[in-house]
Amino acid sequence: MSCIGKNIKKIRTVKNLSQAAFAQLFDLARPSVGAYEEGRSEPKIDTLIQIARHFGVSLDLLITKELTVNDLYGFDIFKRDLHQNQLLIKVADAEEAPVLRAALVMASEQDNYFVRRQEREFLDNLPTLLLPGQQQVLHRAFEHTGSEMQYQQHGLRHGDLLYCTALPVDALQLKPNEVYVVVTANKLITRRFQGLTDEGALLLKADNPDYDHLLQPLEEVTEFWHVDGFYSTYLKSPSSLEERLTKLESLVKKLMGE
């Protein structure tokens, strides 16, 4: 079964659609859907585009990645089927331990966030990320989108949740090579800070070398958030090099009698 076929079946299952109902959405014959899911054939590119647009899924992800249920619930059309409580990530019991509370800005809410980020009612209605600790500074969580911070299976992946600490809008507060979420009036940028240009613009670097550096005028920035950590559902298998290093470390410890 191809990646495309698996994704179509996963989408259909999550949306509780029969093969016939799915076929009707895109003017397909029901046996065609079965053939896609079993890997006996693949949809035409026009059909793939229709599926991606209808379900709000990136065409690139639909074709190249075997999507998980968690991936699908990150997209708006799937998230609408969830009860609000299912979006809460609870790491500590608020009654038993002090917790940090961070409003969670999913990708589908980013446009609203640009306009309403200072409205208490809007922030209070966002899902909440809870982590153990004292609430001494403002924290917020953002759903990461795109692949600019991922390289060779390392780094931030599409759909990861970034846990962030608020900073003043002051470039002197930023540390080189640290990862920040930079918010403007219409953009949310996640990059490594490299420094300031002579013109006073932020030089922002992607971890993926296929992406060019960004120059972001400081006067357009409305918020700075330092990325303290992230939550991901993706578990990477160790590379052959990592496996060899692990075996070498184990052998050295045995030789040293540890």
Side-chain angles (χ1 to χ4, degrees), residues 181-246:
V181 173
V182 179
V183 181
T184 72
N186 56 12
K187 290 183 296 184
L188 197 151
I189 306 164
T190 304
R191 296 284 177 104
R192 289 189 187 276
F193 175 67
Q194 297 297 290
L196 282 174
T197 66
D198 293 339
E199 293 76 23
L202 305 172
L203 181 61
L204 303 173
K205 175 180 177 292
D207 284 354
N208 188 333
D210 292 335
Y211 289 79
D212 294 332
H213 287 24
L214 284 181
L215 289 176
Q216 174 59 51
L218 182 59
E219 62 269 18
E220 295 178 3
V221 176
T222 57
E223 293 177 349
F224 279 137
W225 298 90
H226 178 267
V227 178
D228 298 334
F230 67 99
Y231 169 80
S232 179
T233 58
Y234 175 78
L235 297 177
K236 182 181 72 67
S237 300
S239 67
S240 58
L241 176 60
E242 290 170 330
E243 289 176 340
R244 287 196 296 251
L245 286 173
T246 300

Side-chain angles (χ1 to χ4, degrees), residues 239-255:
S239 67
S240 58
L241 176 60
E242 290 170 330
E243 289 176 340
R244 287 196 296 251
L245 286 173
T246 300
K247 290 179 180 178
L248 180 60
E249 288 174 354
S250 177
L251 178 59
V252 170
K253 287 181 179 180
K254 288 180 180 180
L255 291 174

Side-chain angles (χ1 to χ4, degrees), residues 13-256:
T13 301
V14 170
K15 293 299 293 179
N16 197 25
L17 294 170
S18 66
Q19 288 187 346
F22 188 93
Q24 188 175 10
L25 285 174
F26 305 105
D27 197 23
L28 300 169
R30 190 211 60 75
S32 295
V33 178
Y36 300 155
E37 294 182 357
E38 293 168 11
R40 292 184 281 110
S41 66
E42 292 191 346
K44 295 179 180 178
I45 186 63
D46 290 345
T47 301
L48 287 171
I49 292 172
Q50 290 179 40
I51 294 171
R53 286 178 176 172
H54 182 84
F55 293 107
V57 179
S58 161
L59 181 60
D60 177 59
L61 293 178
L62 180 65
I63 295 173
T64 62
K65 177 187 177 184
E66 185 176 343
L67 299 171
T68 66
V69 173
N70 284 335
D71 289 330
L72 294 177
Y73 282 138
F75 297 108
D76 184 53
I77 193 167
F78 295 95
K79 198 185 307 142
R80 283 185 233 131
D81 295 339
L82 288 177
H83 188 275
Q84 184 77 357
N85 289 340
Q86 292 175 272
L87 291 175
L88 301 183
I89 300 175
K90 198 165 185 179
V91 183
D93 190 327
E95 295 182 357
E96 295 182 1
V99 294
L100 297 171
R101 295 177 178 270
L104 174 57
V105 182
M106 302 297 286
S108 59
E109 288 291 344
Q110 286 183 10
D111 288 344
N112 285 332
Y113 183 76
F114 297 139
V115 178
R116 305 182 61 191
R117 61 187 179 83
Q118 294 181 323
E119 295 181 18
R120 175 51 53 190
E121 181 181 1
F122 170 73
L123 295 176
D124 286 346
N125 285 327
L126 289 174
T128 305
L129 189 70
L130 301 181
L131 292 172
Q134 298 289 344
Q135 186 80 49
Q136 298 174 336
V137 294
L138 182 62
H139 293 83
R140 192 145 297 158
F142 298 91
E143 181 185 12
H144 180 65
T145 58
S147 59
E148 65 271 18
M149 296 302 291
Q150 178 189 342
Y151 182 58
Q152 294 184 345
Q153 301 302 312
H154 293 275
L156 302 177
R157 300 176 66 87
H158 184 89
D160 286 352
L161 301 182
L162 311 181
Y163 184 69
C164 306
T165 300
L167 292 174
V169 183
D170 179 2
L172 297 178
Q173 300 285 333
L174 307 184
K175 297 179 181 179
N177 290 319
E178 292 285 303
V179 180
Y180 296 92
V181 173
V182 179
V183 181
T184 72
N186 56 12
K187 290 183 296 184
L188 197 151
I189 306 164
T190 304
R191 296 284 177 104
R192 289 189 187 276
F193 175 67
Q194 297 297 290
L196 282 174
T197 66
D198 293 339
E199 293 76 23
L202 305 172
L203 181 61
L204 303 173
K205 175 180 177 292
D207 284 354
N208 188 333
D210 292 335
Y211 289 79
D212 294 332
H213 287 24
L214 284 181
L215 289 176
Q216 174 59 51
L218 182 59
E219 62 269 18
E220 295 178 3
V221 176
T222 57
E223 293 177 349
F224 279 137
W225 298 90
H226 178 267
V227 178
D228 298 334
F230 67 99
Y231 169 80
S232 179
T233 58
Y234 175 78
L235 297 177
K236 182 181 72 67
S237 300
S239 67
S240 58
L241 176 60
E242 290 170 330
E243 289 176 340
R244 287 196 296 251
L245 286 173
T246 300
K247 290 179 180 178
L248 180 60
E249 288 174 354
S250 177
L251 178 59
V252 170
K253 287 181 179 180
K254 288 180 180 180
L255 291 174
M256 296 179 66

